[in-house]
């Protein structure tokens, strides 16, 4: 029988019993419009999530490109509110609700693991809910909103290796039934976006292809240094907030993990929705 840790009787989801290793994933959540635009191909992919990934996680840890802090921070709440961190979109988007249970015990576990692995300061935010980098994909992946969710911030003044090592510290969570999910965008240069259906420019295609090959070939060190080794790295990511969640997912899966491209599509000319799964090699 599994032994259960608990903060109180209400939150007893976190088990220390051994399970099969959970894969980690990186989801390109793209535009917030995916929440209401049925023509975006990635939306169709996410709606089939439970058919493809059949193991139900005990809780979900999301590293979202929409939460940037000076030092690692986890949200410690009992219930996640929906954060509308976008402006100028159709009014119907501000009526959408996704309010999964919080995961305070998981948040404490994340803090414990990070501090045990050299991240000396890890903060707790006791008011923050889920931003659209979390709730937009999850509303299609797990529409029932009944799986506890915790968010972990990125630090954009650090580099890819830092976030890879952050992921490595979180690796034990895969044995504890936790889905570690990075949420960002494979290419994220908003100033270059074009109308839907526009052709993909060469620079975006070259970066996207380089990344795919690097991941599938296990060249994670190259990905950690994408800004100097990838073609058009800084063009694809003028600011790294939406790319660092990939490094966390990579690191959490382990240096010998096998990457798999699970979805690929384009929208707005330069916005790649490439999403990846990382499976630890036994």
């Amino acid at each position: 029988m599994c032994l259960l840790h608990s903060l109180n009787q209400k939150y007893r989801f976190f088990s220390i019993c051994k399970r099969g290793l959970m894969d980690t994933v990186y989801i390109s959540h793209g535009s917030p419009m995916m929440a209401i635009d049925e023509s975006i191909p990635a939306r169709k992919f996410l709606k089939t999530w439970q058919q493809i990934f059949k193991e139900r996680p005990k809780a979900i840890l999301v590293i979202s490109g929409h939460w940037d802090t000076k030092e690692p921070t986890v949200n410690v709440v009992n219930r996640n509110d929906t954060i509308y961190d976008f402006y100028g979109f159709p009014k119907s988007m501000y009526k959408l609700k996704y309010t999964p249970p919080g995961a305070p015990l998981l948040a404490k576990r994340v803090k414990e693991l990070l501090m045990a692995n050299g991240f000396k300061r890890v903060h707790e935010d006791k008011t923050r809910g889920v931003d659209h980098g979390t709730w937009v994909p999850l509303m299609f992946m797990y529409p029932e909103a009944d799986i506890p969710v915790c968010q972990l911030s990125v630090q954009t003044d650090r580099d890819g290796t830092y976030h890879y090592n952050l992921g490595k510290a979180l690796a034990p969570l895969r044995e504890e039934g936790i889905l570690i999910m990075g949420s960002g965008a494979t290419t994220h240069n908003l100033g270059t976006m074009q109308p839907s259906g526009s052709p993909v420019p060469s620079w975006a295609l070259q970066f996207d292809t380089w990344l795919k090959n690097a991941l599938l070939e296990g060249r994670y060190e190259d990905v950690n240094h994408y800004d100097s080794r990838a073609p058009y790295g800084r063009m694809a990511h003028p600011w790294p907030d939406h790319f660092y969640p990939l490094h966390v997912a990579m690191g959490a899966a382990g240096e010998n993990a096998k990457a798999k491209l699970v979805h690929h599509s384009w929208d707005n000319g330069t916005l790649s929705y490439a999403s990846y799964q990382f499976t630890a090699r036994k």
Side-chain angles (χ1 to χ4, degrees):
M1 178 179 295
C2 298
L3 298 176
L4 297 175
H5 287 303
S6 65
L7 291 179
N8 53 45
Q9 292 298 314
K10 189 175 181 181
Y11 295 98
R12 300 183 63 87
F13 65 86
F14 186 77
S15 169
I16 64 171
C17 65
K18 293 291 183 181
R19 296 166 55 112
L21 285 176
M22 296 285 288
D23 292 343
T24 69
V25 295
Y26 173 71
I27 302 297
S28 288
H29 64 253
S31 168
M33 283 296 294
M34 184 165 63
I36 62 172
D37 187 348
E38 296 183 4
S39 71
I40 296 177
R43 172 182 167 126
K44 299 180 179 66
F45 157 67
L46 293 173
K47 291 181 76 171
T48 67
W49 183 265
Q50 293 187 56
Q51 301 171 30
I52 302 170
F53 299 88
K54 299 184 182 300
E55 184 172 3
R56 177 182 170 87
K58 301 189 73 174
I60 304 170
L61 175 64
V62 182
I63 302 88
S64 168
H66 289 279
W67 193 15
D68 180 15
T69 60
K70 184 70 175 177
E71 294 171 317
T73 306
V74 288
N75 73 324
V76 185
V77 297
N78 292 334
R79 175 70 58 176
N80 283 293
D81 293 326
T82 308
I83 301 175
Y84 304 100
D85 52 335
F86 43 77
Y87 309 95
F89 286 84
K91 292 182 179 180
S92 59
M93 293 182 61
Y94 301 92
K95 297 179 181 179
L96 297 172
K97 297 286 186 183
Y98 191 84
T99 57
L105 186 55
L106 173 58
K108 299 287 188 181
R109 175 70 168 142
V110 169
K111 181 176 181 178
E112 171 190 295
L113 288 170
L114 292 179
M115 295 188 72
N117 284 274
F119 295 85
K120 296 181 179 180
R121 295 176 63 88
V122 181
H123 303 278
E124 300 180 12
D125 188 322
K126 298 184 178 181
T127 62
R128 185 182 176 89
V130 287
D131 59 56
H132 82 267
T134 295
W135 67 260
V136 169
L138 286 184
M139 71 183 291
F140 300 115
M141 297 164 67
Y142 299 102
E144 301 85 0
D146 59 352
I147 299 176
V149 175
C150 173
Q151 280 201 210
L152 171 64
S153 64
V154 296
Q155 287 73 63
T156 53
D157 61 343
R158 306 303 292 266
D159 60 12
T161 299
Y162 167 92
H163 287 85
Y164 183 83
N165 289 333
L166 189 149
K168 286 176 63 176
L170 300 174
L173 296 177
R174 294 183 295 112
E175 298 181 2
E176 298 163 2
I178 308 302
L179 173 62
I180 300 174
M181 171 178 142
S183 180
T186 308
T187 55
H188 193 251
N189 187 330
L190 300 183
T192 65
M193 289 174 61
Q194 302 296 320
S196 185
S198 297
V200 180
S202 176
W203 67 262
L205 185 60
Q206 287 186 56
F207 177 83
D208 187 73
T209 301
W210 176 89
L211 178 64
K212 179 185 70 173
N213 291 338
L215 290 174
L216 298 186
E217 294 167 9
R219 293 188 284 112
Y220 300 144
E221 189 64 14
D222 284 347
V223 180
N224 285 343
H225 298 279
Y226 76 96
D227 50 345
S228 60
R229 299 183 185 181
Y232 302 102
R234 293 189 183 277
M235 184 74 172
H237 292 280
W239 197 246
D241 51 355
H242 277 56
F243 204 47
Y244 285 162
L246 169 66
H247 295 86
V248 180
M250 282 193 324
E255 62 184 18
N256 295 317
K258 181 176 177 58
K260 178 181 179 181
L261 178 66
V262 292
H263 175 76
H264 191 267
S265 59
W266 291 91
D267 198 21
N268 300 110
T270 64
L271 201 56
S272 171
Y273 281 83
S275 296
Y276 292 90
Q277 172 187 4
F278 297 93
T279 302
R281 296 182 189 270
K282 297 181 179 179

